[in-house]
Amino acid sequence: MINQVTINKLIEMRLTAMADSFRVQMNDSNMNDVPFEDRFGLMVDAEYTSRKNNRLKRLVKNAHFEQTDACIAGIDYGHGRRLNKSLINDLATCEYISENRNIFITGATGSGKTYMACAFGMEACKQYYTVRYVRLPDLLLDLQSARDNGMFVKVLKGYTTPKLLILDEWLLLKLTESESRNLFELIHKRRSHSSTIFCSQFREEGWYERLGGNDNPLADAIMDRIAYNSYKINIENLDPAKDISMREVYGMDPTLTM
């Protein structure tokens, strides 16, 4: 009776994993010879592990990854692709996040940019960093709608708070003046306290023009805030004539983003 009361109290305090562990111990006669400190430690370990696992699940869910099965081990270094495995493994440690540095991932459509970015995002979640994935076109629409409706500060906070932000389809289209202004606000607020992964079909040297170039005074300001001290990964084939889409390699749906 006393044991059941204890279990009920643990459940009421939302220590359900600890309660389950205690229940298992009560039904295991072999536990009678185990010292109290060890038995208590096992119950605490069960609760601790459960909470860590639940936290990881929440982080992954809230990240809204495009590819939830992405992982560093799944990155394809074959098929003639020019990839620096050492650099990718170093970035997988997430030290770049603690240093508030960015990553530029560039390559043709289907080269695996989104998969790689989501793999880095998964590693960040495993280290309990907050992560958010979003396509730049969707982000820009969201920010403009928020500005029009007087919710800009609140919506902007949702993109500035995550420790790691993944911006896919970066500069797929040239930006308008209002889009550049909204993007600058985001980039400026994330500077020096967070990291961003930029996935683009275009090399970094072409970004300035796609931001408006000399006709847009914000182009310099945005590039200055994201380019300094960033890691660069360009996914390309050793022989461009033999370039092949990763969707084709793995027989994926061509509508999926890579």
Side-chain angles (χ1 to χ4, degrees):
M1 182 64 179
I2 294 178
N3 291 340
Q4 186 57 50
V5 170
T6 299
I7 290 174
N8 291 340
K9 288 179 179 179
L10 288 171
I11 294 174
E12 185 178 343
M13 292 187 291
R14 298 184 180 179
L15 300 172
T16 53
M18 197 170 184
D20 290 339
S21 179
F22 182 50
R23 187 183 292 110
V24 169
Q25 289 189 20
M26 291 302 99
N27 295 326
D28 186 353
S29 58
N30 293 324
M31 282 291 174
N32 294 334
D33 297 327
V34 179
F36 170 78
E37 292 84 356
D38 293 342
R39 293 179 61 174
F40 185 69
L42 290 172
M43 290 189 292
V44 172
D45 286 345
E47 184 64 36
Y48 180 83
T49 300
S50 176
R51 293 196 174 208
K52 282 286 188 179
N53 290 338
N54 289 337
R55 183 183 177 191
L56 176 58
K57 290 178 182 178
R58 287 195 301 271
L59 287 170
V60 172
K61 179 181 178 181
N62 293 338
H64 302 292
F65 290 120
E66 177 74 16
Q67 297 189 27
T68 56
D69 61 340
C71 63
I72 295 298
I75 294 176
D76 191 332
Y77 296 94
H79 299 95
R81 301 209 299 170
R82 192 197 306 268
L83 287 176
N84 187 333
K85 188 173 184 178
S86 178
L87 172 60
I88 291 172
N89 287 335
D90 286 344
L91 293 175
T93 67
C94 296
E95 187 174 348
Y96 72 96
I97 298 179
S98 62
E99 296 173 345
N100 302 316
R101 299 176 66 176
N102 300 325
I103 300 176
F104 296 169
I105 304 177
T106 57
T109 299
S111 61
K113 302 184 298 296
T114 299
Y115 185 94
M116 184 180 294
C118 288
F120 285 138
M122 285 291 184
E123 292 303 314
C125 286
K126 291 176 184 177
Q127 297 198 31
Y128 303 103
Y129 287 116
T130 51
V131 182
R132 183 164 184 179
Y133 167 95
V134 64
R135 296 170 58 251
L136 182 63
D138 292 335
L139 166 70
L140 295 174
L141 287 174
D142 197 15
L143 291 180
Q144 188 57 51
S145 176
R147 189 179 286 279
D148 294 341
N149 292 289
M151 299 288 290
F152 186 74
V153 174
K154 180 179 180 180
V155 172
L156 184 65
K157 186 177 180 180
Y159 293 106
T160 58
T161 300
K163 188 64 177 175
L164 174 63
L165 179 66
I166 300 174
L167 289 180
D168 205 355
E169 298 183 10
W170 171 253
L171 301 180
L172 185 62
L173 302 173
K174 290 185 178 181
L175 303 188
T176 65
E177 179 66 27
S178 60
E179 288 173 338
S180 294
R181 181 162 56 106
N182 292 337
L183 183 60
F184 172 76
E185 291 295 330
L186 171 64
I187 296 298
H188 178 71
K189 288 187 178 298
R190 289 187 57 80
R191 185 185 189 186
S192 301
H193 71 84
S194 55
S195 297
T196 305
I197 297 178
F198 301 86
C199 300
S200 178
Q201 294 182 25
F202 305 95
R203 290 286 195 102
E204 177 194 350
E205 50 266 29
W207 293 0
Y208 180 77
E209 287 302 320
R210 302 194 69 77
L211 287 168
N214 294 329
D215 294 331
N216 185 357
L218 292 175
D220 280 326
I222 292 174
M223 288 303 299
D224 176 67
R225 284 164 173 75
I226 68 174
Y228 175 72
N229 218 17
S230 296
Y231 291 100
K232 318 293 171 62
I233 300 175
N234 182 54
I235 305 175
E236 60 183 359
N237 200 285
L238 294 172
D239 181 358
K242 297 180 181 180
D243 201 8
I244 185 172
S245 167
M246 288 297 100
R247 300 196 196 104
E248 183 178 347
V249 170
Y250 295 105
M252 296 176 63
D253 185 337
T255 63
L256 295 177
T257 302
M258 283 283 284

